[in-house]
Amino acid sequence: QYQPLYDSEGTCVAYCAIDYSMNSLIGASSSFTVRIAALLTAIASIVAAIAVWLANRRVVQPIDGLADATQAFVSGDEDRRRQGVQAIEQLDITGHDEIENLYLSITKMTNDMTAYLSEIEEKDDEIQDELAIIKRMQKNTIMSFAVLVESRDQNTGRHVQRTAAYVHILGEAMLAHDDYPEMLDRDYLDRVVESAPLHDVGKIKIPDAILNKPGRLTDEEFEVIKTHTTAGAKALAAMATGIPGKSYLSMADDLALYHHERWDGTGYPTGLSGTDIPLCARI
């Protein structure tokens, strides 16, 4: 549509029109859409990076410090035990969440156990009974830790308790059928059942954004999930260091590392197959 242009005397001296291309308009619109999408993607990446940083600062670092201090406490050496107590108290973890609650519980437990150990060391005739009590306290503490780790994963429910129950049922049936007699006996089964709740302890290293993501994981996110096997094995192996005998922790690291292997070799993290997979992890 043309519009007339008038001079100061009111005479029409020209006509004005605009000529534009629809293809150019569509191209400009597409370019604008791409730029907006790129901007939103950048914002999402920044938010994800901040979430991972916060998870590391508020969960992973406090748990790592707590694990190191606790390891010193349970080493069995009196000097290291004293150092472990001091290290736990110096952590001063705050946050008003389940991590702080765990820290306060372990701090109280270590102080109580330190005082308790000082008393029983003076009672030679009662040492064995008291050590049995301490062992049960350690098992209960580690079970509580496994449940705490599970509580971060909103999708699994009572997974660790169910796993222990399934392992017990399967193991009893295998004993009744005399399967793997060279390995599987009552002591072995008891240790597998005790170890079972710890198989997913490595999930403490997985960011909440991935652990509780609704829907399907991306390939990159699944690779992160896979690391809970190696992280759990590493933590449990460290916990078992210096503990003599056939503690249930002595097989817990194998169970944590290999429980996602598959008979046909398509599992992770190492791709073991068949009987190369440790029996405890196969169960």
Side-chain angles (χ1 to χ4, degrees), residues 42-60:
I43 293 174
S45 298
I46 293 172
V47 171
I50 292 174
V52 171
W53 179 80
L54 287 175
N56 183 69
R57 181 181 178 86
R58 297 187 58 189
V59 177
V60 176

Side-chain angles (χ1 to χ4, degrees), residues 18-187:
I18 298 175
D19 184 17
Y20 61 91
S21 168
M22 289 301 296
N23 289 335
S24 298
L25 186 62
I26 293 172
S29 175
S30 298
S31 176
F32 177 75
T33 302
V34 170
R35 292 179 182 180
I36 291 296
L39 178 61
L40 293 176
T41 300
I43 293 174
S45 298
I46 293 172
V47 171
I50 292 174
V52 171
W53 179 80
L54 287 175
N56 183 69
R57 181 181 178 86
R58 297 187 58 189
V59 177
V60 176
Q61 291 179 358
I63 288 296
D64 284 345
L66 197 55
D68 292 341
T70 305
Q71 175 62 33
F73 176 79
V74 301
S75 65
D77 180 84
E78 184 176 354
D79 291 336
R80 289 204 65 198
R81 187 165 63 235
R82 188 180 302 108
Q83 293 171 2
V85 173
Q86 294 174 350
I88 289 173
E89 293 176 344
Q90 291 172 358
L91 286 173
D92 192 26
I93 296 174
T94 59
H96 308 291
D97 55 14
E98 66 271 21
I99 302 299
E100 180 184 7
N101 292 335
L102 174 66
Y103 167 68
L104 294 175
S105 298
I106 291 184
T107 300
K108 184 179 184 302
M109 182 201 71
T110 53
N111 286 327
D112 291 346
M113 288 181 64
T114 299
Y116 194 58
L117 287 170
S118 297
E119 292 180 9
I120 66 171
E121 286 172 357
E122 300 174 358
K123 303 176 182 179
D124 293 339
D125 294 339
E126 300 176 7
I127 285 180
Q128 293 303 319
D129 291 339
E130 302 297 350
L131 287 177
I133 293 174
I134 293 173
K135 185 177 294 186
R136 287 196 296 272
M137 290 172 65
Q138 291 174 336
K139 291 180 181 179
N140 290 339
T141 300
I142 292 175
M143 173 62 77
S144 299
F145 181 69
V147 172
L148 173 65
V149 174
E150 181 199 26
S151 70
R152 293 185 61 236
D153 186 348
Q154 300 171 5
N155 303 311
T156 57
R158 294 175 57 84
H159 178 60
V160 295
Q161 292 92 339
R162 290 199 305 270
T163 300
Y166 294 152
V167 167
H168 184 262
I169 293 170
L170 287 171
E172 290 291 347
M174 293 171 70
L175 279 177
H177 287 83
D178 199 28
D179 293 329
Y180 303 100
E182 72 282 2
M183 296 181 60
L184 184 60
D185 55 19
R186 175 59 56 187
D187 176 65

Side-chain angles (χ1 to χ4, degrees), residues 187-196 246-248 250-251:
D187 176 65
Y188 187 96
L189 176 59
D190 289 344
R191 287 186 287 128
V192 177
V193 173
E194 290 174 336
S195 301
K246 294 183 178 180
S247 162
Y248 68 99
S250 64
M251 69 167 55

Side-chain angles (χ1 to χ4, degrees), residues 191-205:
R191 287 186 287 128
V192 177
V193 173
E194 290 174 336
S195 301
L198 296 172
H199 71 282
D200 271 340
V201 74
K203 285 185 176 179
I204 194 67
K205 292 283 190 179

Side-chain angles (χ1 to χ4, degrees), residues 202-203 205-207 210-211 213 216-232 257 260 266-271:
K203 285 185 176 179
K205 292 283 190 179
I206 306 301
I210 296 178
L211 192 63
K213 177 183 176 180
R216 188 177 183 85
L217 297 174
T218 65
D219 291 342
E220 293 78 9
E221 290 168 339
F222 186 53
E223 290 300 318
V224 175
I225 285 289
K226 287 181 179 181
T227 64
H228 82 276
T229 54
T230 52
L257 181 60
H260 278 291
T266 60
Y268 63 86
T270 62

